[in-house]
Amino acid sequence: MSIIKNKFYHLFWNNPSCQNLFLLSKEELLETKTFGEDKSPFTFSTNRIIVSNAQDNQNEFFDTIKTRSEIYNVEIDSLLNEKIEYFKPLIEQFFDSKFKKSIERLMLDIEKKPLKFLSFILKVAADEENREVKTIEFLQKYGFIGKNLNSFKEIETSIGNSLIPSKNNELINENTINTFFEGVKFVKELYVNHSYKNLYNTNQILINTLNSEDNFQSRIKLFGELYDSKIIAPSKDDAFIECSHCDPLTYRGVFQLRLNPKKLKDLKCPVCSNELTYFVPYKLHEDIYKIVKKHDGLILDALQNKLYLNGIKYEINKKFLNDIEVDCIFRDGNRIFIVETKMYKQNNTTEKKLISKIKEHFSKLIKDVERIEKNEEFLGLEIVPFLITNINNQNILRASQQYFNSIITENKYYDNGNIINLNLLKIKS
């Protein structure tokens, strides 16, 4: 095991805040991007974990941040429409003056004789010796270039001259240069707003999920320990800062930062000297990121680490009967544990829904155990089914376990099976 993983698991087993944080699903812990339609979206989690002092439990402060984020959305939408209306006539005018007639003539010929046009393209592509001459004749025929240009080199020089600013230059002049910089400023505003929304939304998912299990001060302290242990490191992506005490846009922007999270509290507004609101991305060490990205997140790897620390041999992803795969099997005396690990998304998921999912997965585990219990390697042993989840809410775990204990059945596995999280794993490290 790598040094980083050793440091990580030392923190994980000895720091409740670390368990609360890293037992989140990857979509809740890391910045997650979604593309595509609602019915079949493509989702992936980037290696960005957000550290911020924007907290739900500071109502006035949080309301300020939330309100400003909504205002920025409205402003950027208004600015987008404004810039479209500003750039549209300039672009259309240049396009119409230079290429409109040429393109219309070209499209008309293609519609009349599409096969002839395709044949011409193929012949030019195949005729390497005369390719330049034929291409230039084609461009001159439709008016894309002047009759005075007779080689690619001359075309290149002409384009270069058209990019030299001058009063009489239709393409590059005082007006179009000003238009270009207006566009650059607009792209900057889009980028700042996009960065802010990404960081803000990712942080909200994180703190909403942790709200009942963690607090801001313990989390900042944990991030400092993770940074000192090189488990997290500064990200090359931009951070976002803003003074929520001053008027909007007084002090706001994106910037690069390489700073221990414990020192973020030292970021002060140069106008009012109050602590700045910050959303700072960090990246996980690649060894830890790979674990978090796995299908079952950290649970299965953490279980293996716990068994290793206790000198217990185990097997993972073992297959039975061609259609049953057991996440982990280990033996302790005369008992053999068959373990299923499940990572649940908890943000915006009701307790009722989580209990329903646990019932579904534990029932399947029991059915799988019933099918494989007569396997030769289990003879003379007591089989104990374990469903290990990332849920720390004791009400959910207790309600799920009580449901199965109350079932009137001769199935012994409903009584001796267990639904737990890693905190309740009865193995001493």
Side-chain angles (χ1 to χ4, degrees):
M1 185 178 295
S2 71
I3 295 175
I4 291 296
K5 285 185 69 173
N6 279 329
K7 289 181 178 180
F8 173 74
Y9 278 118
H10 177 76
L11 273 172
F12 183 81
W13 293 118
N14 294 285
N15 188 325
S17 292
C18 192
Q19 284 200 21
N20 289 337
L21 188 67
F22 282 93
L23 286 181
L24 299 178
S25 68
K26 58 180 178 289
E27 293 86 359
E28 293 162 335
L29 176 64
L30 303 172
E31 181 183 62
T32 298
K33 299 181 183 296
T34 301
F35 299 92
E37 299 178 356
D38 293 338
K39 293 182 179 179
S40 56
F42 173 70
T43 301
F44 70 95
S45 299
T46 63
N47 191 358
R48 295 204 339 159
I49 184 168
I50 308 303
V51 180
S52 174
N53 58 346
Q55 301 297 305
D56 264 333
N57 57 0
Q58 297 172 290
N59 292 329
E60 184 177 348
F61 172 79
F62 177 74
D63 287 344
T64 299
I65 299 302
K66 184 178 179 181
T67 301
R68 288 190 180 184
S69 72
E70 293 169 352
I71 291 173
Y72 296 151
N73 286 341
V74 173
E75 286 180 347
I76 207 69
D77 289 341
S78 174
L79 189 61
L80 177 60
N81 293 330
E82 178 186 319
K83 293 303 179 185
I84 288 175
E85 293 303 314
Y86 178 74
F87 289 124
K88 186 177 178 181
L90 294 174
I91 295 172
E92 287 180 346
Q93 181 181 355
F94 178 78
F95 175 83
D96 289 347
S97 65
K98 290 291 184 181
F99 304 116
K100 185 178 181 180
K101 291 182 179 179
S102 298
I103 291 177
E104 287 177 349
R105 288 175 54 198
L106 175 61
M107 296 305 298
L108 185 62
D109 283 357
I110 291 175
E111 288 177 6
K112 288 181 177 179
K113 301 176 181 179
L115 292 179
K116 182 179 179 180
F117 182 78
L118 178 61
S119 176
F120 169 76
I121 296 298
L122 294 174
K123 286 180 180 179
V124 171
D127 188 0
E128 185 175 353
E129 183 177 348
N130 298 305
R131 186 180 300 157
E132 180 175 353
V133 174
K134 295 294 184 183
T135 301
I136 289 172
E137 289 177 352
F138 173 82
L139 294 174
Q140 289 176 339
K141 176 182 177 182
Y142 289 99
F144 286 105
I145 63 173
K147 296 290 186 180
N148 60 314
L149 302 178
N150 297 301
S151 70
F152 287 158
K153 185 65 178 177
E154 290 180 3
I155 294 174
E156 181 183 345
T157 301
S158 176
I159 293 174
N161 291 335
S162 69
L163 297 178
I164 298 174
S166 67
K167 290 184 178 181
N168 299 322
N169 189 329
E170 186 178 358
L171 180 60
I172 306 295
N173 52 48
E174 182 178 340
N175 188 37
T176 57
I177 290 174
N178 182 61
T179 300
F180 170 76
F181 283 111
E182 284 293 321
V184 171
K185 286 164 60 179
F186 174 62
V187 170
K188 185 208 74 171
E189 287 298 322
L190 280 176
Y191 173 72
V192 171
N193 192 64
H194 176 73
S195 296
Y196 177 80
K197 286 197 294 184
N198 279 350
L199 295 169
Y200 172 82
N201 290 335
T202 300
N203 181 65
Q204 284 313 110
I205 291 173
L206 179 65
I207 65 174
N208 288 344
T209 309
L210 289 172
N211 194 40
S212 62
E213 303 292 340
D214 199 10
N215 62 72
F216 169 66
Q217 295 300 332
S218 64
R219 191 157 68 254
I220 289 295
K221 181 181 178 182
L222 170 62
F223 278 122
E225 293 181 62
L226 293 171
Y227 188 91
D228 292 337
S229 300
K230 301 188 186 305
I231 293 166
I232 65 171
S235 170
K236 292 181 179 179
D237 295 322
D238 286 331
F240 181 95
I241 59 169
E242 178 177 22
C243 182
S244 59
H245 303 279
C246 293
D247 292 336
L249 303 182
T250 299
Y251 194 76
R252 169 182 179 255
V254 295
F255 70 120
Q256 287 285 309
L257 183 69
R258 301 180 65 87
L259 188 67
N260 189 314
K262 290 184 289 189
K263 296 182 179 180
L264 289 172
K265 65 180 184 300
D266 298 329
L267 295 175
K268 305 294 183 182
C269 174
V271 180
C272 69
S273 299
N274 282 302
E275 182 181 5
L276 293 168
T277 302
Y278 53 81
F279 297 89
V280 183
Y282 290 83
K283 63 179 181 179
L284 290 170
H285 188 280
E286 194 63 27
D287 289 351
I288 310 303
Y289 178 59
K290 287 178 181 178
I291 298 170
V292 171
K293 285 274 286 183
K294 288 180 180 178
H295 176 70
D296 289 316
L298 190 71
I299 298 179
L300 184 55
D301 197 83
L303 173 61
Q304 294 176 71
N305 176 259
K306 175 70 85 169
L307 295 172
Y308 170 79
L309 291 174
N310 286 273
I312 298 175
K313 294 182 179 180
Y314 60 88
E315 295 179 87
I316 62 169
N317 301 327
K318 188 170 182 178
K319 293 187 177 180
F320 298 90
L321 304 177
N322 296 321
D323 64 341
I324 295 176
E325 183 175 86
V326 176
D327 288 341
C328 183
I329 297 178
F330 65 92
R331 181 174 174 176
D332 183 23
N334 196 47
R335 296 191 301 172
I336 190 161
F337 296 86
I338 296 182
V339 181
E340 176 76 9
T341 59
K342 285 295 179 184
M343 181 73 77
Y344 298 113
K345 295 179 186 177
Q346 300 173 66
N347 183 53
N348 293 329
T349 306
T350 63
E351 289 191 8
K352 183 178 179 180
K353 180 67 172 178
L354 289 170
I355 291 172
S356 175
K357 286 179 175 289
I358 291 174
K359 288 179 180 179
E360 175 190 346
H361 294 136
F362 191 67
S363 296
K364 181 181 183 304
L365 174 60
I366 298 299
K367 290 177 182 178
D368 289 345
V369 169
E370 288 178 317
R371 291 178 60 195
I372 65 177
E373 63 180 348
K374 294 182 180 179
N375 192 289
E376 185 177 350
E377 69 180 277
F378 302 137
L379 295 179
L381 299 174
E382 177 190 358
I383 300 179
V384 182
F386 262 26
L387 175 64
I388 303 180
T389 80
N390 62 321
I391 295 175
N392 285 329
N393 187 316
Q394 295 305 308
N395 292 331
I396 294 176
L397 296 175
R398 192 180 301 112
S400 303
Q401 188 73 62
Q402 288 174 349
Y403 168 80
F404 288 104
N405 290 342
S406 66
I407 293 177
I408 302 175
T409 176
E410 295 181 359
N411 191 319
K412 59 186 176 183
Y413 297 123
Y414 284 120
D415 293 325
N416 69 353
N418 287 278
I419 301 168
I420 66 171
N421 58 29
L422 287 172
N423 286 326
L424 301 178
L425 195 59
K426 302 298 184 181
I427 300 175
K428 295 180 180 179
S429 60

